[in-house]
Amino acid sequence: MGSKKGYRPSAEFLAELEGVDLNSDVDFYFSSAYREMVNRYYSKKINVLHRNDSLEYGLRGVTVYATVPNQLIRNELIYKKAEYDLYQTIDFEAFYKIFMSASTDEENNAKITKIYKDLMRVNKGQPSPKFIDYEKHSGGTLSLDDLKGKYIFIDVWATWCGPCIKELPDLQRIEKDYHGKNISFLSISIDIPKDYDKWKKMVVDKKLGGIQVIADNAFDSQFVLDYNIKSIPRFILIDPNGVIVSQNAPKPSDPELINLFNEFNI
């Protein structure tokens, strides 16, 4: 099958893939069209299965890729899935176990193992990484240790992030519902310096509550790097002693967040 830059199979063509051999590693590595067919086949399979079960999306994906018959193709697809999704999945320990049982590429395994070990350092029960003297919107500075004694729900966000903005009304609702309880709500902006004024204005315009601070170096802030944050919004729950409850907590619009709060009698 020939290769053509920018080629995309039609929906009708994809519907006929059931009869196509998708296990040729030679075609997979030398034909972009064939590779596209294989990728779309498994992506569609993941999405269909995900709609019909409660398994978290990342786990569903790695589980599907673990069943790819051709080992070379499996190694490639499951690595590409793990390289990004391992950071995002809630149960990264289960994800890692599935990956390691399915992949035979030693170089890829070493890379994913490094990511896994980095995530384990901020797993539930570990002391939270800290930040010192982040600028507060209300004036002055704040260090994470200043909030010890209460649970801390952290929202890592930025003014340019659409999904972050979408969560703000639910975050404001929850902040109101939990006002006076044993929890502080902390929003950490990772806006870059040129968007500093935009951050200052948005907090006022949207009447954002909780404690509003801005990180010292955007995505390259040490606190963000320590938590392996690759995309936002990201939500973190820390207990009154500075120990991590969840390094990837449910978002405010997810009812599971209230279940998590109830589990710890917040």
Side-chain angles (χ1 to χ4, degrees):
M1 185 176 293
S3 171
K4 183 178 180 181
K5 186 175 181 180
Y7 173 80
R8 292 292 183 274
S10 68
E12 292 79 12
F13 185 63
L14 289 171
E16 300 174 359
L17 290 183
E18 294 299 331
V20 177
D21 177 15
L22 298 177
N23 296 303
S24 169
D25 50 84
V26 174
D27 287 337
F28 184 82
Y29 284 106
F30 292 102
S31 168
S32 61
Y34 184 89
R35 177 186 289 258
E36 180 71 16
M37 284 194 300
V38 173
N39 280 322
R40 290 197 174 204
Y41 172 81
Y42 285 106
S43 293
K44 181 179 179 181
K45 186 173 182 179
I46 291 167
N47 290 331
V48 169
L49 290 172
H50 182 63
R51 286 196 298 267
N52 295 313
D53 65 28
S54 59
L55 195 62
E56 189 263 338
Y57 188 77
L59 283 177
R60 168 52 64 203
V62 75
T63 300
V64 167
Y65 286 132
T67 67
V68 174
N70 183 290
Q71 185 66 59
L72 293 178
I73 296 176
R74 182 198 304 169
N75 285 344
E76 174 80 8
L77 293 180
I78 203 168
Y79 172 70
K80 291 299 183 184
K81 183 69 174 173
E83 187 179 30
Y84 178 79
D85 277 10
L86 185 56
Y87 288 110
Q88 315 302 324
T89 192
I90 294 172
D91 192 351
F92 63 86
E93 292 178 85
F95 189 113
Y96 176 73
K97 184 177 181 180
I98 295 168
F99 172 87
M100 290 300 290
S101 69
S103 173
T104 59
D105 186 303
E106 292 185 3
E107 183 177 349
N108 289 348
N109 292 355
K111 292 177 182 177
I112 298 304
T113 295
K114 182 182 183 304
I115 294 173
Y116 173 74
K117 289 180 177 179
D118 288 342
L119 290 171
M120 284 297 292
R121 282 193 280 271
V122 287
N123 198 12
K124 179 179 179 180
Q126 297 297 316
S128 173
K130 299 178 182 181
F131 62 81
I132 298 174
D133 292 340
Y134 278 5
E135 179 184 342
K136 293 172 64 177
H137 188 276
S138 59
T141 61
L142 181 83
S143 299
L144 188 64
D145 279 347
D146 296 337
L147 300 177
K148 269 193 172 182
K150 286 187 174 183
Y151 285 91
I152 310 167
F153 184 69
I154 300 175
D155 170 20
V156 182
W157 73 295
T159 58
W160 47 260
C161 168
C164 301
I165 306 304
K166 186 177 179 181
E167 289 297 320
L168 292 179
D170 285 298
L171 179 58
Q172 290 170 306
R173 171 182 55 81
I174 291 173
E175 288 172 351
K176 183 177 179 180
D177 290 345
Y178 282 80
H179 180 73
K181 296 190 178 183
N182 190 34
I183 186 169
S184 297
F185 291 89
L186 172 64
S187 294
I188 301 176
S189 164
I190 56 171
D191 280 293
I192 59 178
K194 77 177 184 65
D195 289 330
Y196 174 82
D197 290 338
K198 185 178 178 182
W199 167 68
K200 295 282 285 188
K201 185 174 186 298
M202 183 174 288
V203 170
V204 174
D205 290 349
K206 290 189 174 292
K207 300 178 180 179
L208 302 185
I211 303 168
Q212 300 287 332
V213 302
I214 189 164
D216 57 1
N217 196 21
F219 253 115
D220 290 323
S221 301
Q222 192 59 50
F223 183 78
V224 175
L225 296 174
D226 287 342
Y227 265 105
N228 304 296
I229 297 174
K230 305 297 181 182
S231 65
I232 53 175
R234 175 71 168 273
F235 302 97
I236 300 164
L237 182 63
I238 301 171
D239 79 6
N241 296 313
V243 174
I244 298 168
V245 174
S246 176
Q247 55 88 25
N248 194 358
K251 55 190 178 181
S253 60
D254 186 344
E256 284 301 314
L257 179 60
I258 302 305
N259 292 336
L260 180 62
F261 286 176
N262 290 340
E263 181 183 343
F264 290 89
N265 297 313
I266 297 174

